Amino acid sequence: MNKTPFEKSYNLDDELLAEYHFDYKKAKPNRFAAQSKNQLLKVVVLDEDVAKVFTTPESVNKVLRALIESMPQVTDGDTA
């Protein structure tokens, strides 16, 4: 009779380690994770002087939306 991996004896030393060191350079995105098509998040690093004025994401978004509203609208043939 052939032995299967399940018939191996239990090793008491085979426990979870207190700490693991992962090589995140080899990590890949989770292809099974749900991807939201409604919201696209981007991370932007603000300069220190700007971050002192705009301390929350909401304040940054509010000012940027106001700026977008004040900009001239671009038509299909025009470039920004």
Side-chain angles (χ1 to χ4, degrees):
M1 180 180 240
N2 292 337
K3 281 194 168 192
T4 62
F6 300 108
E7 294 175 353
K8 291 182 179 177
S9 62
Y10 180 71
N11 185 358
L12 294 177
D13 294 331
D14 191 21
E15 294 291 325
L16 291 176
L17 299 177
E19 183 177 341
Y20 290 89
H21 299 284
F22 294 104
D23 185 3
Y24 290 103
K25 294 176 188 170
K26 296 179 182 177
K28 296 180 183 176
N30 184 351
R31 61 184 173 143
F32 299 107
Q35 298 202 5
S36 174
K37 295 181 181 177
N38 298 337
Q39 188 175 15
L40 178 64
L41 298 177
K42 296 279 185 180
V43 176
V44 177
V45 178
L46 301 176
D47 289 338
E48 188 176 338
D49 58 331
V50 176
K52 286 180 183 178
V53 176
F54 301 103
T55 57
T56 65
E58 293 81 16
S59 64
V60 173
N61 287 331
K62 183 178 178 182
V63 170
L64 289 176
R65 286 187 181 104
L67 180 62
I68 291 169
E69 288 293 322
S70 68
M71 293 171 56
Q73 298 297 319
V74 177
T75 60
D76 291 339
D78 295 341
T79 58

